[in-house]
Each structure stands twice: as structure tokens, then as C-alpha cells.
Amino acid sequence: MKKNFDIPEFVVAGHPNEGKSSVLSTLSEDDSVRISPVPGETKSCRTFPLILDNREIMRFVDTPGFQNPRATLKWMREYRGDDRMLIPAFLEAHRGNPRFRDDCELLAPMAGASGIIFVVDGSRPMRNVDRAEMEILRLTGKPRMAVLNCKDTETAWLSEWQSEFRKHFNIIRVFNSCRATFAERIRLLESIKSIDQELEPGLSAVISALDMDWSARNRRTAELVVFMLTDIAGWKAEVRLRDGQQADKIREKLVARYRSFARKREKAAFDQIRRLFRHRRLDLKLPGQEAIDHDLFSRKTWEFLGLSRKQLIMAGFAGGAAIGAGIDLGHGGLSMGLFGAAGGILGAAGAAFRAKSLLEGRKIMGVRLDRETLHAGPAASPQLLFVLVDRAIIFYNCVTNWAHGRRDYENMEEAVEFFKKHTSCLTSTWSQRQRDELHRLYRAISEDNVEELQKTQARLAESLTALLENLSRHDARPV
Amino acid sequence: MFSRWKIEDILDLDFFIERDRETAAREGESALKKRDREICIKALGDRPEHDPRHSDAHFLLRLWLFAMRRGWQETHPGAMLPGAVWIETFSLLEWLAAFAGLFSGAALAFSLLAYSGTRPVNVLLLTGILLIPQLLILACTLAAMLFRRSCRMPAALSAATRLCMRLFRFIARRLADSSDLANGVEDSFDTAAANSSYSGMASRLAGIHGKIIILPFFILIQLYGICFNIGALAAIILKVTVTDVAFGWESTLRIGPEMLYGIVKAVAAPWAWFMPEGIGMPGLEQIAGSRMVLKEGMHDLATANLVSWWPFICMCLLFYALIPRIVLFISGKIMLARKLRDFDHNIPEFRKIIDRMTLPDVKTAGREPSCHPGTMSAASPGEPLRNKDSRTSLSHENSPEGEAATTSPAEHLSSAPLEMDANEPARHASDKAEATFLVPEEIMDSVPEEELSRLAARLTGSEFFKSRPFEPGELPEEKETGRGAADSGIACGRQHQGQVFILQEAWQPPIEEDLLFLEKFANLAQKTSGITVILVGKPSGNRFITSPDEQQAEVWELRLAALGNEGIKTLRLESFQ
Ligand SMILES: Nc1nc2c(ncn2[C@@H]2O[C@H](COP(=O)(O)OP(=O)(O)OP(=O)(O)O)[C@@H](O)[C@H]2O)c(=O)[nH]1
Ligand SMILES: [Mg+2]
């Protein structure tokens, strides 16, 4: 690892409560950053390194806000020393002064910084303190970039900010810390690249790594969704029916069990997706789980000594050997020492065809040898898959659009409602070909066709990946 | 590095994937990511993406497997991996199959060739028993193979494949590390649910690999068949060589020698081209001469006819049993090789591994707060507020005026002018004490006069007011000697007898500088009635004086209250609207 001072460092500075910590939280997908509506939340610097394969490429530093911008500027203007020693001199002069604690804390990392990012809430008017702060940053002599983080939709002052920024900053970017998407995060990093040429190779590598990582997350999400679909739609259970038990009641119980499984399974998949996108605090619940309460296929079967009617016939045919050994006919298992097998074929088969009538209710020492079983599952209609996919897409959209710096968790339901209405790639808009993929998956599940299942899973995961990529990289941002 | 996949590799892959699943549940995916990325970097250098092998999935998977094995050997010295178990078990099985084949073939042939000298060995019985079951089974095998190819087997039928995988997993677990796999992952639902999908995947993996795993057993059976026939052949040749065996045939049915000759000739067709009649098969007279008729006894039969049968029997075994078995054996080997060559790495499990290896490990999360040297000594200015746990006090929104008054001194003070306003407007008007508004210089021009006069009317009952600009940062003592001092709001505050109101935009966070200014200013104005800070909101439309945001106003009130200065009162503008 490189030595500390070799690593380019960008200091994020600004007035208190403008969203410095929010911007960094979103940019670094770190929802553990302390953010609060009370100004002065950040008391000491926190670094946000960009680490690529254990190599630290660059880092951002979150700082407290200016507490005495006018006084600081005044001091700096009166300073008559070596320009390069401005910050150390300021720190020296104000060390131990509690009034200037925050100002020292925020100026200290600037001495060695490669650049400064000034964060401002563009939805408010500009005041003299802001001008003073910009001037202070100018006096540091570092490359500067301005980030307009508009806290609300008010745009009346935006142009004033921008024209003022043009005088002070090399680069100006609008970056909303509560709504920034992946693409916007990348664009912000891209523009940092142009601040300092030396940063370019390292930062390019980070950006491409982030890009690949994002694609991998989408692919993983698609896979998780497909597995969830398979598990929920393919759920099966068997219950042995005892004498006098009503199949209907048991069936109801099984359906209830199935539904609770489906809900839990969906939640588990959603949790995995949420963690994939590094949300640890966002407890996003998609309402309307009853939509996935679907019905199950069910049927009754009859077995004697654990063998179904079909198996009884097979057993007669194969003399009991092949099945006991669990070796397929198809693999020549029978050729193993079964010289005498042929003899039993005819007799056993005859008996087995009439097996049920002959064997039903047989008991040995009071134990009934045959039994009836209720089988439930898989899901009774492919519609379920469509509902599940839609829900997963909505969930994905909520998770990827909930910036890590966003803390108004109480508004989550509203956001979910929004995405329910405004998600563009839901199954209702799918082409026939895409729908067929879901139908095919359903068929493979209900026929229990492993090979086909694998194929359809892979295909579906692929098209879902493409869909998610499209959704997260190109879809218009919500309001 | 090897060039081809082997069964043991696949078993080990499966084993490690299974283990990783447990590791991931215990330590999280990031542990796996770190490990696998390191494997990749170690082999391909710091910039693995520049290596052409970086995009070779097979190579990467092998690389991974080798590294995992190495790691395994380090952490579990002496423990066997499923692959090694497989190699040992399978070679043992091969030997067993070979010996069992040789032995059973020879034993069967010997028992059938038991010749006491009184009755010749019955050729039809001998070939029948030796060949017909084998031919039947062979036909079954071929039919099954064709059936398999033409229509896909439903999953339920390939239970054997799963059985094999499960068996090996079981053995591997037992042998490998009963200790560290057994101390289980806690059974939270999360893992259970994840596992339910994994169990689906595991059986799928077994399905994929199972198809490969089953082939060795097929080959094993062919090996048994080969050895069985070799044993039988060897037994016949040995018996014929060292003893005098007579072969004859008999039948209750009316089968004449001609008919049997026809059958024998047809059967012997495959080798007739190099072993003509008399050598590879008995001729018509020899057949006629070796017919046993019960009541006639054996004495009339000529020795030459009686021994003419054995080469035919041998050739039958060779061509109808041994060679097909060898063909199946070889084709089994070829199928296995092909399956291994086409070994599919494009399944989610493998892709996950490859992703972990090839995708750069990029971390962006923040480090725990670090201190820059030399600045941490002083106490922070916001401390008093923080000590009161500002967030809880802020969280109860819209607290009614009266209730808040008991908790916040600022609120308490701020309600004073309100009451006066409501009850005794006349008193203020008669006082003729004009209100003074101190407005920050920078917004002085944007505040319309009539808004101020309306505000004055509501605050004091009189529309008369004075307004003075001030520059918040500039502290009284600094400005005192300045030229414009007399004109400035500071001076105003000091001299004025009436109420002094300071307009403060509440959306600006209260910074140290502003608070200090207000405090000093309040001290100056103490001898009069102190100052009242009016908290206003953001300008909206053409209105400048608006009500402030609830939360922001509360922050101001708390911060001002924390100054503990009697001379500062606060007033939320919302109270008037
Ligand atoms: N609506 C909205 N609120 C925002 C946005 N950015 C920040 N905020 C809010 O603004 C408040 C302050 O955000 P912080 O990130 O803590 O600001 P800061 O600059 O780090 O503040 P200090 O650490 O106190 O200097 C928080 O309540 C945020 O939720 C935004 O883009 N939109
Ligand atoms: Mg902060």
C-alpha cells in the first residue's frame, strides 16, 4: 500500500447542513454515515477511500461545516506570509481556540489535498457567508469543484449560484444526494477525473470496476429472482392421509403453509438483493404480499409398501433389483448379475396391474401397509410468476433509487407507491418472447424437468439482467 | 496445470462450493470475494485484466480449484477431499469388478463344463446359459441408451445420479472435517430460506455433474462384463487344454442336425471368413455325430465330432459377449471424455466464482472517523445543543406553543411580545416607541418596506418603524471605531430606546460567528429591552418575510437558548400567520 501522502485526497467542504455528508454517503454507498437535519452533525473528518484490490486509489474527506467563514477570511486576507503556508499558519494561530475548532478541523486536510469539493444547497439564496467560504477555498490555491446538492425543488436561485460558481470553480456539477442514481454517481467521479490529470488512470480503473460491479450485481439480482421464482412456484409437500382424515382440510393447511413459505422466501430474496446494493439500514417492505397468495396443484396417490402403482409394476418387471439399488435402467445396471431376472417378469406385472384392489387395506400386525398421500404443489398457475417478477422489479427499482444518503425512511411507503406506478419494465409491457420465457419456466417447474429448468432459468436470468441494466442505467429518475 | 477436467476435479469443485455456501452464511460473501480475488491476482499479477487468461473461464475455474485444494491441504493436513476418495474408491471398485468378473465367469464356465466322462457337455445349454442372458441385457442396455437419447428422461428417473452425488458428499463430509462443518450455522430463517434455493441448486448441480458421475459406473459394469467373458473363455480354454472334454447336443424337439447346422452357420457368420467350417464351427457331419440320444448312450459318438464344438463356443463368447462389451467399454470412455470436455461452466455457481475472481474488489465505504492532527483539542461549539440530545427534542414536531414554553426558555421569552400584541396594542402605540428592525445588509434591498411595516404593526401595534442594515460577521468592538458606526444597526442597538428586532433567516444554520454576534449585540442592548430575533423562512415568490421551517426554527431556538443570554428572545414568524 502506498504511503498516506501519496494518495490523492479530495476534501468535501461547505457551509454546515448543506449535505456534505449526504453527498459522500450516496457517492460511497455507505449508509452508516451520520447525517442529521441539525447542523453541526459532523464534528470530525471522516475519510472515504476508494480501494481497488487493496490499493487505495484516492479518498474523499468529509469535514464539519464552516463556523466562522467571515472571521477566517478576514484573517487570511490579513495574512502576509508564504502563500503555501497559509493553512498551517491559520491552524497554528487558532489552535486551541474552541470557537475555531470546526474551522481548523475542516481546513487541516486541505493543506495536503489534491482538490476541494464545495457542496452547496442550490435551492436556497446565496449569502455573503457563502461568498466568504468560496473566497477561502480560492485562497487555498487548490483545484476546486462545486457540487450543487438541491435539497428541494426550488430552482429560483440555481442560476445565481451557477454564475457565481463560474468565477470560483473549475468544475460545477449538480448532484442530488437523495436521488442520485448509479449513472450520476459515475458521472460525478468522471468529472473529478478532469480536475487532476494524474488521477485519471487510477480513477478510470475505479470507475470501470464500479461499472463491472454494478453489472455483476444486476446479474446476481436476476439470478436471485429466478431462484426465488423456482422455489416459490415449485414448492411441494406431501402429507400422508390417515384413515378418516379429510383431504380438504389438510389441503387447506398445506396451502396456508405454502403461502407463508412464499412470503418468507420472497422476503429472503429481497433481503439478499438489498444487501447486494449495500443497504443495511433501509428496511424496505413491499406492501401487498397477498398478491402472491396463489393456489397449488394437489392430488392424491396410493402406495403399497412405499411403492406407487407405477413402481409396483416396475418392481415386478425388474425383479425388485434395479429400484432397490437406485441404478437407472438406462445405464445398464441390470446387466450386473441378474441372470435369472427374466423369470419374474410376467407374474409380477399381472399382479401389479390390479395392485390397488388387491392390496388396499392390507395389514400386518395391525400396521397398514398401503397408504394414501396428498401431494400439494407446484403452483397452480403461471400467473404467480408474473406477479413475483413484477414485485421483484419494483423492489429492485426502489432499492437502487434509494440513495444511501437519503434518510427520510418515513417516506419510504410513498416512494414505493411511486415506483409501483412508474416502473417501466413490468411484465405487462413485456414482449411475447419475454413472457414465453416465464411460461416456459413454469412448465419446466411443473413438469420437474431438470434439464429444461436449467436452460429456462439461464435464459430468464439473462433477459432479466438486461432488463435491470436498462432500468438502472437508463431509466428516467423519479421525482 | 492440467488440460482436462477429471471426475475428481468435479467432485472437489462441488465440495468446495458446498463449503463456501456455509462460509458465506457464516462470514458473509465479502470473505469469499476477498479470497477469490487474491487467488486471481496471485496467479495473474496486479492487473489481472491485462492477462489473456483472465477471460478463460475454464482456466480460472481450474486455478480456483487448485488454490482451494492447496488451501485445504494447509488447513486440514491429512484429510481427504472427495476427489481423492473417489480415486481410491473407484480404483478399488475397478479391481473388484475385474476380479468378480473373472471369478464368476470362470466359475460359471467351470461348473457348466463339469464333465464326468459319462455324458458330454451339453453345448446348447452351455452357450444358452453363457450367452442368452448377456445378449438380453445387452439389448436392454442398447434400448435404454437409445431411449435416453431420443426422449429426455424426467428428473425423477435419474435418481441414481443424485444418489451418487449425495453418497460422495456424505463420505466426503465424514472423512474430511467432521469438526468444522459440523459446528453448524445457526438455523435462522434467512439461511434456511437461502438454503431452500440452494438445495434446489445443489440438486441441480448434482443433476449436471451426476450425468458425468454415472458414466464411470457404466464403464465399471462393462469392465465386469469383459472380465466375466474373459474368465469364461479362459476357463473353457483351460478346461479343453488340460482335460478331455466332450461336447454334444440333444433336444426333445424334432430338431435335426440340418436345422442346427443352419443355425450354427448363421451364428458363426462373423468369423467364418477366417475360421472356416471345421475349425470355427462344426460341420454338418460333426453336428450329426455329436448328437446325444439318451437311449443310445455315448459310446457310438466319435471323439473328433465331440471336440469339434469348443472353438465355436469360444468364438460365440468372443463375438457376442466380449467384443460388444469392449465396444461399450470404449464408447463409455469416449462418452466420459466428451462429457468432461464439454463440461459446462456456465452455471450460476461457477459464474459466481469466476465473477469473484475477475471482478475488481472495489470498496467505497467510509473509514471510521479519523482525526487530522492538532485540531481535536478544543471543545466543540455545538456541544450544549448536543448534550440535550437535540434529535429527540426536534423529533416531536409542531409542539403547541404552551407546551413548548415549559421546556424551552427561548419559546418562553418569545411568547412575551405576542401576548402584548394580542391584549394591549394601544399601550405600545401610545408609547410612540418605534420598533427598530435590524436587517442584514445583504438582504436589506430585497425586503419590501410595506412587509416590514405590516410586521411592525403586528408586533408593536404601530406601523412606524426604523430599519437599519447590519453586517452579522462584524462584531461590535471591531466596528466601533469605524466610520459608519453611527449609522449602522450596531449603533442603533446601543442607542435606541424602543424594541429591537433582528431579522434572521432561519434556513441558514446557526453558525458560531452569527451566535457570537447576537450575543455581543444583546449585551450591548441589555440596558434597553434586549433584542428579539425574528426567525423568517426562505423568500418565496414576491414575499420576503415568510414563516420559517419548523425544524430549522427549532434549531435556532435551541441554539440561542443554549447561549443562556437573558437579553435574547426569539420569535417564530409563524405565530403571526
Ligand atoms: N431533501 C433533501 N435533503 C437533503 C439533501 N441533502 C441533504 N439533505 C438533508 O440535509 C440535512 C443535512 O445533511 P448532512 O449531510 O448532514 O449535511 P452536512 O453538510 O454534512 O452537515 P454538517 O455535518 O452538519 O456540517 C440532512 O437532514 C439531510 O437529510 C437532498 O439532496 N435533499
Ligand atoms: Mg456532515
Side-chain angles (χ1 to χ4, degrees):
Chain A
M1 208 182 256
K2 281 183 178 180
K3 286 247 174 61
N4 263 4
F5 46 79
D6 283 341
I7 300 166
E9 193 169 275
F10 277 74
V11 178
V12 176
H15 211 54
N17 215 36
E18 297 292 275
K20 301 177 291 298
S21 303
S22 309
V23 165
L24 279 183
S25 171
T26 294
L27 190 62
S28 64
E29 294 194 305
D30 182 347
D31 60 5
S32 70
V33 179
R34 291 180 61 120
I35 290 168
S36 143
V38 180
E41 176 68 32
T42 309
K43 287 275 119 207
S44 51
C45 295
R46 183 174 189 193
T47 47
F48 292 79
L50 289 184
I51 299 174
L52 189 59
D53 291 330
N54 293 331
R55 256 181 317 136
E56 196 170 331
I57 302 294
M58 64 171 291
R59 58 166 93 113
F60 297 101
V61 183
D62 186 19
T63 63
F66 284 100
Q67 290 292 333
N68 301 282
R70 296 184 193 89
T72 305
L73 180 60
K74 191 157 172 278
W75 187 94
M76 284 182 168
R77 279 193 170 139
E78 284 160 10
Y79 171 74
R80 294 284 170 265
D82 183 354
D83 271 354
R84 283 166 303 174
M85 294 308 289
L86 174 70
I87 291 170
F90 179 88
L91 296 179
E92 187 56 39
H94 295 87
R95 167 164 308 152
N97 182 346
R99 227 190 102 194
F100 285 89
R101 187 202 157 277
D102 282 8
D103 303 82
C104 290
E105 175 79 11
L106 86 96
L107 284 171
M110 286 190 192
S114 312
I116 295 169
I117 298 173
F118 183 63
V119 176
V120 118
D121 171 11
S123 59
R124 63 168 180 89
M126 193 188 328
R127 294 288 175 255
N128 283 341
V129 268
D130 303 310
R131 294 192 186 91
E133 284 164 14
M134 290 188 246
E135 186 60 15
I136 292 170
L137 298 188
R138 197 183 64 81
L139 290 175
T140 62
K142 301 286 177 186
R144 275 151 291 140
M145 167 174 174
V147 168
L148 275 163
N149 168 43
C150 296
K151 285 201 198 172
D152 60 49
T153 47
E154 178 66 74
T155 53
W157 293 286
L158 213 54
S159 57
E160 188 192 359
W161 280 110
Q162 275 169 333
S163 66
E164 185 70 20
F165 277 172
R166 269 179 225 119
K167 295 183 220 157
H168 289 89
F169 295 98
N170 317 45
I171 294 164
I172 303 161
R173 277 227 78 93
V174 175
F175 182 84
N176 190 307
S177 65
C178 282
R179 296 203 310 249
T181 58
F182 171 71
E184 283 162 319
R185 293 206 315 266
I186 294 292
R187 279 202 291 276
L188 186 65
L189 289 176
E190 289 279 1
S191 51
I192 288 171
K193 220 159 58 175
S194 53
I195 291 186
D196 186 346
Q197 262 194 350
E198 279 183 29
L199 272 176
E200 225 175 298
L203 208 47
S204 294
V206 169
I207 289 171
S208 88
L210 286 172
D211 198 69
M212 285 191 267
D213 192 55
W214 188 262
S215 297
R217 283 190 213 174
N218 283 337
R219 203 167 56 219
R220 187 82 196 110
T221 305
E223 280 170 6
L224 287 171
V225 171
V226 171
F227 293 150
M228 173 192 76
L229 296 182
T230 311
D231 282 353
I232 294 181
W235 188 85
K236 276 187 215 152
E238 289 178 8
V239 171
R240 197 173 146 184
L241 296 176
R242 289 195 193 85
D243 289 330
Q245 268 182 331
Q246 282 185 323
D248 278 354
K249 277 212 185 107
I250 292 180
R251 211 191 89 84
E252 260 167 46
K253 255 188 219 161
L254 282 180
V255 169
R257 213 165 83 197
Y258 162 65
R259 288 179 178 172
S260 103
F261 166 80
R263 287 168 182 226
K264 283 182 189 160
R265 182 65 187 83
E266 190 196 43
K267 186 173 178 308
F270 284 179
D271 279 344
Q272 282 173 312
I273 293 170
R274 185 172 54 86
R275 277 197 298 269
L276 204 57
F277 287 90
R278 306 200 184 153
H279 273 294
R280 277 164 294 187
R281 298 174 55 174
L282 182 67
D283 184 20
L284 207 164
K285 289 191 191 76
L286 217 52
Q289 270 209 318
E290 54 284 352
I292 65 170
D293 288 347
H294 274 243
D295 215 347
L296 288 168
F297 272 127
S298 63
R299 76 198 146 87
K300 272 200 287 189
T301 57
W302 177 85
E303 286 176 351
F304 183 78
L305 283 176
L307 298 176
S308 70
R309 205 180 309 192
K310 212 162 119 194
Q311 282 170 321
L312 280 174
I313 297 167
M314 288 270 288
F317 179 74
I323 287 175
I327 290 171
D328 285 4
L329 252 179
H331 288 113
L334 286 175
S335 55
M336 235 161 149
L338 295 180
F339 297 112
I345 296 178
L346 291 171
F353 275 115
R354 290 172 36 208
K356 190 170 180 188
S357 54
L358 281 175
L359 301 173
E360 186 161 19
R362 280 286 155 86
K363 287 183 187 182
I364 290 181
M365 299 198 295
V367 179
R368 215 176 137 165
L369 297 178
D370 65 333
R371 67 176 187 207
E372 261 185 311
T373 310
L374 182 71
H375 300 260
S381 101
Q383 208 44 44
L384 173 66
L385 297 187
F386 285 82
V387 176
L388 285 170
V389 167
D390 276 349
R391 285 174 60 81
I393 294 173
I394 293 170
F395 181 85
Y396 170 87
N397 222 356
C398 293
V399 164
T400 52
N401 275 292
W402 190 278
H404 290 73
R406 186 168 176 185
R407 298 299 152 85
D408 52 332
Y409 297 118
E410 67 277 4
N411 293 333
M412 200 155 53
E413 271 170 39
E414 222 172 279
V416 171
E417 277 312 307
F418 175 88
F419 283 115
K420 270 183 153 177
K421 290 197 198 88
H422 297 272
T423 297
S424 62
C425 301
L426 297 183
T427 50
S428 53
T429 66
W430 281 16
S431 67
Q432 193 55 47
R433 197 183 50 76
Q434 284 172 304
R435 286 155 186 252
D436 281 349
E437 270 168 17
L438 272 185
H439 281 292
R440 231 174 277 146
L441 179 71
Y442 176 74
R443 224 174 301 135
I445 291 170
S446 46
E447 285 165 10
D448 202 7
N449 184 337
V450 176
E451 242 168 80
E452 188 61 22
L453 183 64
Q454 251 161 251
K455 256 188 245 154
T456 49
Q457 279 182 330
R459 235 175 310 155
L460 184 63
E462 207 170 292
S463 66
L464 269 181
T465 309
L467 186 148
L468 298 181
E469 284 277 301
N470 189 38
L471 199 60
S472 63
R473 289 178 191 262
H474 307 300
D475 208 18
R477 184 164 20 80
V479 187
Chain B
M1 204 105 319
F2 56 79
S3 53
R4 242 167 29 96
W5 289 99
K6 297 202 185 89
I7 300 265
E8 52 268 32
D9 302 327
I10 293 169
L11 286 170
D12 283 353
L13 266 183
D14 189 75
F15 172 75
F16 285 126
I17 287 172
E18 178 81 8
R19 257 182 123 245
D20 273 2
R21 214 165 278 150
E22 284 159 29
T23 315
R26 229 177 314 130
E27 296 163 33
E29 291 266 343
S30 58
L32 303 182
K33 165 84 200 164
K34 189 161 171 280
R35 183 198 63 197
D36 294 348
R37 182 65 181 165
E38 260 164 27
I39 292 174
C40 182
I41 288 179
K42 223 169 165 184
L44 301 184
D46 247 4
R47 286 289 173 86
E49 57 275 13
H50 296 323
D51 195 299
R53 292 172 297 177
H54 184 257
S55 47
D56 179 352
H58 273 273
F59 168 81
L60 291 170
L61 212 50
R62 276 175 216 149
L63 185 66
W64 186 78
L65 178 63
F66 270 62
M68 292 301 284
R69 277 190 185 144
R70 228 174 296 127
W72 171 268
Q73 261 132 37
E74 275 159 27
T75 50
H76 302 76
M80 270 176 109
L81 282 168
V85 175
W86 166 263
I87 294 174
E88 295 210 346
T89 321
F90 197 72
S91 66
L92 183 72
L93 284 179
E94 273 178 334
W95 283 108
L96 277 178
F99 277 119
L102 281 174
F103 182 77
S104 58
L108 187 66
F110 270 125
S111 62
L112 289 173
L113 285 173
Y115 173 56
S116 57
T118 55
R119 276 180 70 79
V121 175
N122 191 332
V123 175
L124 293 185
L125 203 62
L126 178 69
T127 34
I129 290 178
L130 275 180
L131 266 184
I132 287 172
Q134 288 209 60
L135 283 174
L136 271 177
I137 287 159
L138 214 58
C140 277
T141 308
L142 286 174
M145 280 168 80
L146 287 177
F147 170 71
R148 260 239 142 148
R149 191 147 302 176
S150 62
C151 68
R152 297 231 158 71
M153 279 239 165
L157 264 179
S158 54
T161 61
R162 290 184 201 183
L163 206 75
C164 287
M165 285 308 275
R166 226 174 289 158
L167 186 72
F168 272 96
R169 284 226 183 100
F170 178 77
I171 295 173
R173 262 165 182 269
R174 279 295 115 90
L175 288 175
D177 47 359
S178 44
S179 55
D180 79 359
L181 285 184
N183 49 35
V185 189
E186 76 263 39
D187 195 24
S188 71
F189 179 78
D190 244 22
T191 50
N195 283 340
S196 85
S197 85
Y198 284 141
S199 68
M201 274 191 288
S203 68
R204 244 184 14 188
L205 258 189
I208 297 162
H209 299 163
K211 252 179 253 144
I212 300 178
I213 299 286
I214 203 76
L215 274 172
F217 290 99
F218 176 79
I219 293 170
L220 205 62
I221 290 163
Q222 306 319 317
L223 184 67
Y224 172 83
I226 291 170
C227 291
F228 176 86
N229 288 305
I230 289 176
L233 270 175
I236 293 171
I237 291 169
L238 189 72
K239 188 87 181 181
V240 169
T241 319
V242 300
T243 57
D244 178 20
V245 190
F247 294 92
W249 62 281
E250 58 189 344
S251 174
T252 321
L253 304 178
R254 315 195 85 216
I255 298 174
E258 292 80 13
M259 196 174 166
L260 189 64
Y261 174 72
I263 295 171
V264 166
K265 195 165 180 180
V267 168
W271 59 90
W273 56 275
F274 72 95
M275 288 181 100
E277 216 177 285
I279 303 171
M281 61 167 282
L284 184 55
E285 307 130 58
Q286 287 162 322
I287 292 176
S290 59
R291 175 169 195 166
M292 299 182 290
V293 183
L294 215 60
K295 58 178 200 256
E296 285 171 13
M298 260 195 71
H299 297 286
D300 298 343
L301 303 173
T303 312
N305 294 341
L306 291 179
V307 298
S308 66
W309 278 102
W310 75 265
F312 172 74
I313 297 167
C314 288
M315 291 317 264
C316 273
L317 274 182
L318 184 67
F319 273 80
Y320 292 109
L322 186 58
I323 290 179
R325 286 288 169 199
I326 292 176
V327 169
L328 281 179
F329 180 81
I330 292 172
S331 62
K333 287 259 178 193
I334 291 173
M335 280 194 299
L336 180 60
R338 202 178 294 161
K339 280 254 159 72
L340 288 170
R341 192 194 60 206
D342 299 342
F343 177 61
D344 188 12
H345 56 83
N346 194 24
I347 59 170
E349 270 62 36
F350 295 162
R351 251 204 329 268
K352 246 162 89 181
I353 295 172
I354 291 166
D355 274 358
R356 288 200 298 257
M357 293 173 81
T358 53
L359 291 177
D361 184 13
V362 56
K363 290 199 195 86
T364 54
R367 279 208 195 103
E368 276 321 293
S370 70
C371 330
H372 274 269
T375 53
M376 286 301 289
S377 50
S380 72
E383 225 44 72
L385 183 61
R386 217 134 290 280
N387 289 345
K388 295 173 79 175
D389 194 358
S390 56
R391 249 172 312 169
T392 43
S393 77
L394 277 171
S395 61
H396 63 86
E397 308 169 311
N398 297 340
S399 53
E401 195 83 357
E403 188 189 310
T406 56
T407 54
S408 154
E411 295 263 356
H412 180 68
L413 286 171
S414 73
S415 61
L418 230 184
E419 273 163 28
M420 286 189 285
D421 178 43
N423 304 331
E424 314 168 77
R427 204 194 64 164
H428 284 274
S430 61
D431 278 356
K432 294 281 175 210
E434 277 179 2
T436 307
F437 287 108
L438 297 187
V439 184
E441 195 164 19
E442 55 186 326
I443 56 173
M444 188 73 191
D445 293 342
S446 10
V447 187
E449 284 279 309
E450 79 265 21
E451 276 189 46
L452 282 179
S453 74
R454 227 178 312 143
L455 187 60
R458 310 213 57 173
L459 288 172
T460 63
S462 150
E463 284 188 10
F464 298 105
F465 70 97
K466 276 190 245 157
S467 64
R468 291 280 185 276
F470 76 100
E471 179 65 42
E474 317 232 318
L475 300 171
E477 68 264 23
E478 293 163 335
K479 195 85 190 192
E480 231 164 6
T481 50
R483 307 153 267 110
D487 205 31
S488 76
I490 315 293
C492 210
R494 198 175 306 144
Q495 293 146 13
H496 195 79
Q497 299 301 308
Q499 267 191 299
V500 179
F501 297 98
I502 295 189
L503 232 54
Q504 175 61 54
E505 292 176 303
W507 51 264
Q508 297 213 41
I511 56 174
E512 202 57 12
E513 215 168 49
D514 292 344
L515 294 173
L516 195 72
F517 168 79
L518 287 175
E519 197 173 17
K520 292 207 168 165
F521 187 63
N523 289 340
L524 283 176
Q526 195 93 68
K527 54 188 159 192
T528 63
S529 53
I531 56 169
T532 304
V533 177
I534 301 178
L535 298 171
V536 301
K538 268 188 212 174
S540 97
N542 49 8
R543 290 197 37 160
F544 193 89
I545 297 177
T546 59
S547 55
D549 175 84
E550 186 84 22
Q551 206 168 40
Q552 289 164 341
E554 204 168 337
V555 167
W556 268 98
E557 285 161 4
L558 285 167
R559 288 297 288 269
L560 288 173
L563 292 176
N565 191 315
E566 290 284 297
I568 303 179
K569 297 163 209 159
T570 51
L571 189 57
R572 263 191 226 189
L573 205 54
E574 73 202 307
S575 335
F576 299 91
Q577 275 147 358

